[in-house]
Amino acid sequence: MRRNNFYFKSFQLVILSVLLTMMSACSYFPAIAPIDQNDSEERPPVHVEGYPVATFFPDLNIDFKEEKIVTEHATPPVKEEVNEGDQKSMRIALTFDDGPDLKYTPRILDILKEKNVKATFFVVGIQVNKYPEVVQRMEDEGHMIGNHSYSHPSFTKLTKEQLKQEIDETDEKIQAAIGYTPEIVRPPYGAINDEVRAELESYGKQVIIWNIDPRDWDGNSVEDMLDNILTNARDGGNILLHSFGSKHVENTVKLLPTAIDRLEELGYIFVTIDEL
């Protein structure tokens, strides 16, 4: 009998100990309120760096600095906008050699007018003499005009006297067409050396070459020329094209609208040579 009482009292002590332990443990934890599913969806999530976004405890605020855990409310990344000033720094120039004529040059001018794009035309004196009205249209529509020689020779093969004659005669034709002479010159074929450059500069001319050549003069396809331009496009780009000179200029006319659109999509603005 005494043994039974001993077991019973021992059992009571065990139960009491368990209860006391449970009561003591509860004092260390706050009460956990039920989660309102609708409420949790409306609150911003907590972002812990390196872990998924927590959506169940939006009010959790833990800062374990040693572990570099961030628990501030997450905000979506803001896409950096390019302002107008930044886009204006991406300048590119369309330049056209060898014109004018009555077949291709007017069509090129039509496209440029439709797209509201200004370009630079390096004109040949013989052609200016034939079609001064086309040069006048270039001027009226805001394009820049440069000297491209009178008969399209290689400048490096000319004497100083011949070089001066090529420049002067072209200047005269341009003067007659638009009332002034240009300050820029592009050597045919890009043929230039230090001596020729110095001579041209002594006439008050600035020598302009190019740094993007889609080789429209070589009969390249529209697709190949477009790929060349887009691959080599850069701020300060100077694209060599032609408005006269061969049947291949037909592809230049076909290329132009798409090239303009694609470059503008990339953020380029078209300028004349003096604005590069």
Side-chain angles (χ1 to χ4, degrees):
M1 185 69 175
R2 290 181 179 176
R3 181 178 296 180
N4 291 338
N5 288 337
F6 173 77
Y7 287 143
F8 179 75
K9 289 181 179 180
S10 297
F11 177 76
Q12 286 181 321
L13 288 173
V14 171
I15 295 298
L16 181 60
S17 297
V18 171
L19 291 174
L20 289 173
T21 301
M22 292 178 63
M23 292 174 64
S24 177
C26 289
S27 67
Y28 289 100
F29 295 93
I32 300 177
I35 298 173
D36 185 336
Q37 185 65 30
N38 292 329
D39 183 54
S40 67
E41 290 178 351
E42 293 174 355
R43 299 180 187 178
V46 174
H47 174 62
V48 180
E49 186 174 346
Y51 293 89
V53 172
T55 58
F56 293 105
F57 301 101
D59 293 326
L60 186 65
N61 184 22
I62 304 174
D63 184 13
F64 297 134
K65 294 182 179 179
E66 293 181 358
E67 296 182 14
K68 298 181 180 179
I69 296 177
V70 180
T71 58
E72 296 178 355
H73 287 166
T75 55
V78 178
K79 184 177 181 180
E80 184 177 353
E81 295 182 359
V82 179
N83 60 42
E84 185 179 357
D86 290 335
Q87 288 192 357
K88 284 185 177 179
S89 69
M90 294 180 61
R91 297 170 182 246
I92 201 163
L94 292 171
T95 65
F96 297 89
D97 287 8
D98 294 356
D101 74 335
L102 292 181
K103 181 176 181 179
Y104 300 116
T105 309
R107 292 165 63 191
I108 289 172
L109 288 170
D110 289 344
I111 294 168
L112 295 174
K113 184 176 182 179
E114 178 185 353
K115 299 290 186 179
N116 194 28
V117 167
K118 307 306 179 189
T120 302
F121 288 85
F122 290 95
V123 295
V124 174
I126 291 176
Q127 296 299 110
V128 177
N129 188 50
K130 294 178 181 178
Y131 312 110
E133 70 280 6
V134 181
V135 182
Q136 182 63 62
R137 180 184 171 184
M138 295 174 185
E139 168 68 14
D140 292 343
E141 295 181 0
H143 304 293
M144 190 175 189
I145 297 169
N147 188 316
H148 195 44
S149 81
Y150 190 81
S151 61
H152 208 273
S154 173
F155 283 176
T156 56
K157 297 180 179 179
L158 301 180
T159 64
K160 289 184 178 181
E161 292 74 18
Q162 291 171 328
L163 177 60
K164 192 171 191 316
Q165 184 177 2
E166 285 286 331
I167 298 301
D168 287 349
E169 289 189 12
T170 305
D171 276 353
E172 290 174 7
K173 300 304 180 183
I174 295 173
Q175 171 78 40
I178 60 175
Y180 67 89
T181 57
E183 297 179 354
I184 56 175
V185 59
R186 172 171 283 171
Y189 316 106
I192 190 74
N193 56 31
D194 291 343
E195 183 180 359
V196 171
R197 183 183 295 274
E199 188 69 15
L200 292 171
E201 290 176 351
S202 74
Y203 307 156
K205 304 295 187 184
Q206 180 184 0
V207 178
I208 305 296
I209 308 297
W210 58 84
N211 54 31
I212 302 174
D213 182 7
R215 299 173 66 90
D216 68 336
W217 50 269
D218 198 28
N220 280 356
S221 69
V222 171
E223 293 76 15
D224 287 345
M225 288 191 290
L226 181 62
D227 181 67
N228 182 304
I229 290 172
L230 297 179
T231 299
N232 294 288
R234 71 197 77 167
D235 181 28
N238 178 344
I239 304 172
L240 171 65
L241 296 168
H242 293 80
S243 68
F244 177 68
S246 76
K247 63 181 181 180
H248 299 314
V249 178
E250 183 65 37
N251 276 352
T252 305
V253 176
K254 294 177 181 178
L255 163 74
L256 192 55
T258 303
I260 290 173
D261 290 344
R262 293 291 300 277
L263 287 169
E264 286 183 336
E265 289 171 3
L266 293 174
Y268 289 93
I269 64 167
F270 292 94
V271 298
T272 50
I273 286 295
D274 59 327
E275 297 176 296
L276 280 181

